[in-house]
Each structure stands twice: as C-alpha cells, then as structure tokens.
Amino acid sequence: MAATTMTTTLGFVLPTGLSPRRGGLRVSIVRCSASSLTTSTGSTASGIVEKPWSSYDARLVLEDGSVWPAKSFGAPGTRVAELVFNTSLTGYQEILTDPSYAGQFVLMTNPQIGNTGVNLDDEESKQCFLAGLVIRSLSISTSNWRCTKTLADYLTERNLMGIYDLDTRAITRRLREEGSLNGVLSTEQTKTDEELLHMSRSWDIVGIDLISDVSCKSPYEWVDKTDPEWDFNTNTRDGKPYRVIAYDFGIKHNILRRLSSYGCQTTVVPSTFPASEALKMNPDGILFSNGPGDPSAVPYAVETVKELLGKVPVYGICMGHQLLGQALGGKTYKMKFGHHGGNHPVRNNRTGQVEISAQNHNYAVDPASLPGGVEVTHVNLNDGSCAGLSFPAMNVMSLQYHPEASPGPHDSDNAFREFIELMKRSKQSS
C-alpha cells in the first residue's frame, strides 16, 4: 500500500502545502491507495477480485486550493470553467442545454439527479454548452414515460463531463461564502493537483465574449408554438400577428415558443446582425435574448442595442436586460455568486405582486447608475438587486429573469403579453 499525506479542511481534501482561502482546522491524515495491478481476468495481481462499484476516478480542483475527489460519468477529460450552483429541484436537461451556462460548471443542490432520464422534448437548444455537471448522487434507475435514455448516456454522447458522489452541500456553502470560483474537472490521473490548481488560477471568465460561440450564424424563421399539452396561458391573446426580430445571444427554445404562442412571427438573427438590416425587415418589436457571460465583454452588442432604441419597441431578457441597462447609460457588475434556480422571489413594483421566478445570471444592472426616466419595475427579494426595467419614452421593457421558465414556475409568463401590448400601443400611435 502506498501512503500520501494530505490536509483536510471541513470535509474536503487539500494537498499538503496548499491553503484554503479562509482559515479552518488543519489536520494531517494518511490516505492509502492500492498499488497492485489489475489482471486480464478482472482480479488484481494479489488475487483480490475487482470491486463491482465505481471508484473515485475524478477530481474537482477549485482556485481556493480545495480538491474534491469524485466519481465520473459522461465524457472523460480535463476542463476549466467557473463553478456555480443551481437550486432547481427539476429540469436538469433544460439546464444542460441552456446556452447561458457556457463557460460554467453547474452544481445541482438537489441531491439526486437523473431520476427521469432525458428526452428530446426538453431541449432548450441543439447542444449542451456548459462545461460540466456536478451532483451529489446519480440515480441508478430512471422512471418517466417520456424517457429515451439515461443521463449518463446522454452526457457521453454529448461529450460532456459529469461527476458525482462528492459533498455538494459543503461546496455550495463555500460558494455562498466566497463567491463563484473557477475550477478544473479532470479524470486524468497523470495530472497532479498542483497542475490542475494552476489551470484554475490561470483562467478567468470575466471579459470573455461567450456569446459569439453560442449565437446562430445566420437568420432563420421560428414557427413552433408551445405544445398544447403544456400551454397554460391561452386566454389573453388577441390573435393579431406581430413581426418580431429576436437577437440570439444564446436564446432558449421556449422563449421562441412563447412568442409564437402569443401570435408573434419571429425571425432569429445572429448577435452581430446589423441594426440597420434589422430595421429594414420592418419589425413590430425586437427581443434581446438571454446569453452567457459578461455583458461588458460584448460592446458590439451594446452598440446594436443603442442603434435600435427608440426605433421600435424592445424587450430584453437576462443578458438582453443587462445590455439594455448599459445602452441606456447604466452600469453592470458581477454578483457574488449570481442567481441560478427556479425559486427566486421577485416583487413587481407596479402592482406589488410577488412572482416566483426562474433565474440564471451572474451579472446585474446597477440601478443607481441609470439615468432619469428609467424605472426599476422589478426587484429580487433575496438581495434587492434590479430584476426589471422600463423606459416608456423609448418603448423599452426588460426582465433580469426568465418569464418562459423551463424549468421553473409560470408566474411571469404575462410578461410576453405585456410585450404584445407594448407593440400594439406603438402601432396604434404611429
């Protein structure tokens, strides 16, 4: 047996010589590992039969120096990204295919993931953009009438890394205390902890244009509506068609489905599509979609938004909301650990009503930086951050969160109706 000396801090493993970001009880322990080789018959050289369960063959190394042994499922390899946690109880497939998670590992706080498998109907885009999935327990079976394959098979086919059987509660607490951390997922045993730690500290998500990689490359028409089986709000539509241009900064399919269900004829355009070309299409309104990363890293998108302000009604969602904030003269900032989950309470300042919302963002608009006339319409009740804007003089509305949910509650779906009303009033006054 070979012995290696390690240091532990509150349940996670640190290589000797590395210190956590914050202080903690440091205890030296001895960690043993088997050094014998496995024979072609499946037994070890010493005659011991190989264990029938998975072994710890992966690591999550965070920039604070913590090393979290884990078991892998999905694709092998080594990848670096920012680690965030998501508090949703369901909807892991929608999260996997949400382009807004590009450049990030997603840790699910719900302890068991994979129970319902995966299916084609729950895709929010044509591929997975996040860097990896971190979970406590991988379900050993699936039970759902729509299931077509297991989560592990799905990740393998999509070349996406996943790890499980690590203390996700402890990691979540660390992220809440320290903020989002860069990290490395690896199944490569040839790489040392020190090498992986160096990788995590040498990379930064701030200032990277992640939108270019997730946006479509050419315009296309979207026609699919929400399946009638899942459509929950059909009573407030006037049936009149509205022509909408949707800028794809990482748009989710269900945003497009909700627009179609509300009677919009939607053309999706790339993030770099010229404002002048969009106006030539004579739209009734323009939607700026959700997307990944830092809004300050895409000045070209802010300039596009500026060129369109006041020309037609505009509606921003998530990244689109942040770009509108900057285009109106405000500033954005990186949050400590962001909002990721389907249970965030938001107050509508106009009505006083509280909505339970689905959110996914690491940046927010600073309301103190906004010019006069711009109204903060919604506030996140967890931390008081800006969750919605309106600028009536230019027919502007925006939400920091996701009115289409998917996954999440449907409290905010009426925001699409408000966009329809905004376009309707604009047409009547022109």
Side-chain angles (χ1 to χ4, degrees):
M1 304 289 286
T4 57
T5 301
M6 308 293 287
T7 303
T8 65
T9 301
L10 300 180
F12 56 87
V13 180
L14 295 175
T16 299
L18 297 179
S19 298
R21 181 177 294 184
R22 295 198 174 192
L25 179 64
R26 297 175 61 85
V27 182
S28 295
I29 64 171
V30 176
R31 192 182 194 197
C32 298
S33 60
S35 59
S36 54
L37 300 175
T38 302
T39 66
S40 59
T41 60
S43 61
T44 63
S46 60
I48 302 174
V49 178
E50 187 176 4
K51 297 175 182 178
W53 54 82
S54 300
S55 60
Y56 285 86
D57 58 350
R59 287 165 291 169
L60 169 63
V61 179
L62 299 178
E63 63 175 305
D64 66 353
S66 59
V67 180
W68 305 81
K71 299 174 183 178
S72 68
F73 70 107
T78 298
R79 294 176 191 175
V80 60
E82 179 184 54
L83 179 65
V84 299
F85 64 89
N86 188 297
T87 57
S88 295
L89 297 180
T90 61
Y92 54 82
Q93 187 177 354
E94 291 94 327
I95 291 167
L96 287 169
T97 52
D98 182 349
S100 294
Y101 282 112
Q104 293 178 322
F105 300 132
V106 177
L107 180 152
M108 301 297 295
T109 59
N110 187 30
Q112 191 170 70
I113 300 295
N115 309 56
T116 57
V118 296
N119 67 87
L120 293 177
D121 295 336
D122 289 345
E123 305 272 80
E124 285 297 330
S125 64
K126 293 183 178 179
Q127 67 182 87
C128 297
F129 289 98
L130 54 70
L133 184 65
V134 179
I135 62 176
R136 176 66 182 91
S137 177
L138 178 65
S139 179
I140 61 175
S141 62
T142 59
S143 179
N144 186 271
W145 61 277
R146 296 190 301 152
C147 175
T148 58
K149 64 187 66 173
T150 67
L151 176 60
D153 289 341
Y154 180 84
L155 294 191
T156 301
E157 291 176 4
R158 300 297 183 97
N159 193 34
L160 187 66
M161 293 186 70
I163 60 172
Y164 70 103
D165 213 358
L166 67 168
D167 192 344
T168 52
R169 290 181 66 186
I171 298 174
T172 299
R173 290 190 64 180
R174 175 155 288 264
L175 295 176
R176 283 182 57 86
E177 293 170 0
E178 303 291 344
S180 300
L181 294 169
N182 296 333
V184 177
L185 283 185
S186 182
T187 60
E188 298 182 68
Q189 302 305 313
T190 57
K191 295 186 181 295
T192 66
D193 292 343
E194 289 77 9
E195 288 176 315
L196 299 181
L197 178 61
H198 178 72
M199 288 178 61
S200 70
R201 291 177 172 174
S202 302
W203 182 86
D204 196 352
I205 196 171
V206 177
I208 298 178
D209 176 5
L210 297 171
I211 288 177
S212 297
D213 291 332
V214 303
S215 178
C216 62
K217 305 307 178 185
S218 59
Y220 64 92
E221 301 293 322
W222 181 275
V223 296
D224 292 345
K225 299 180 179 181
T226 302
D227 191 305
E229 185 175 5
W230 308 108
D231 202 343
F232 44 84
N233 190 356
T234 60
N235 299 321
T236 58
R237 304 167 194 174
D238 57 19
K240 297 180 181 179
Y242 292 91
R243 178 74 170 166
V244 173
I245 303 296
Y247 270 82
D248 179 10
F249 300 127
I251 199 165
K252 293 172 62 181
H253 287 172
N254 270 300
I255 292 177
L256 297 171
R257 291 190 184 104
R258 296 315 291 151
L259 287 172
S260 295
S261 294
Y262 274 91
C264 297
Q265 298 173 349
T266 306
T267 301
V268 184
V269 299
S271 60
T272 55
F273 198 70
S276 58
E277 294 300 314
L279 292 173
K280 287 179 182 179
M281 300 169 74
N282 195 30
D284 296 310
I286 291 179
L287 179 134
F288 301 116
S289 82
N290 63 291
D294 182 356
S296 298
V298 286
Y300 62 87
V302 177
E303 290 303 313
T304 298
V305 174
K306 286 181 178 180
E307 292 179 39
L308 293 168
L309 286 177
K311 307 291 178 56
V312 292
V314 297
Y315 178 22
I317 295 176
C318 204
M319 171 62 78
H321 161 85
Q322 297 162 19
L323 295 174
L324 275 168
Q326 289 196 7
L328 289 169
K331 298 179 180 179
T332 56
Y333 63 93
K334 194 174 193 297
M335 308 176 80
K336 184 176 182 180
F337 49 79
H339 297 157
H340 310 278
N343 53 359
H344 288 258
V346 171
R347 183 184 66 238
N348 185 324
N349 288 336
R350 291 173 167 175
T351 66
Q353 293 180 327
V354 174
E355 306 167 8
I356 303 302
S357 65
Q359 305 207 8
N360 174 24
H361 61 102
N362 270 52
Y363 292 82
V365 175
D366 179 6
S369 68
L370 294 169
V374 180
E375 176 189 3
V376 175
T377 57
H378 298 74
V379 174
N380 187 297
L381 294 180
N382 283 337
D383 58 11
S385 60
C386 174
L389 296 174
S390 175
F391 191 23
M394 287 189 173
N395 289 323
V396 171
M397 63 174 288
S398 70
L399 292 177
Q400 178 59 84
Y401 51 97
H402 286 264
E404 86 291 347
S406 304
H410 302 146
D411 298 24
S412 306
D413 187 73
N414 278 336
F416 291 103
R417 177 185 57 79
E418 293 174 11
F419 183 42
I420 298 296
E421 291 298 319
L422 186 64
M423 291 188 288
K424 183 178 180 179
R425 291 195 301 269
S426 178
K427 289 185 71 172
Q428 291 174 345
S429 62
S430 62

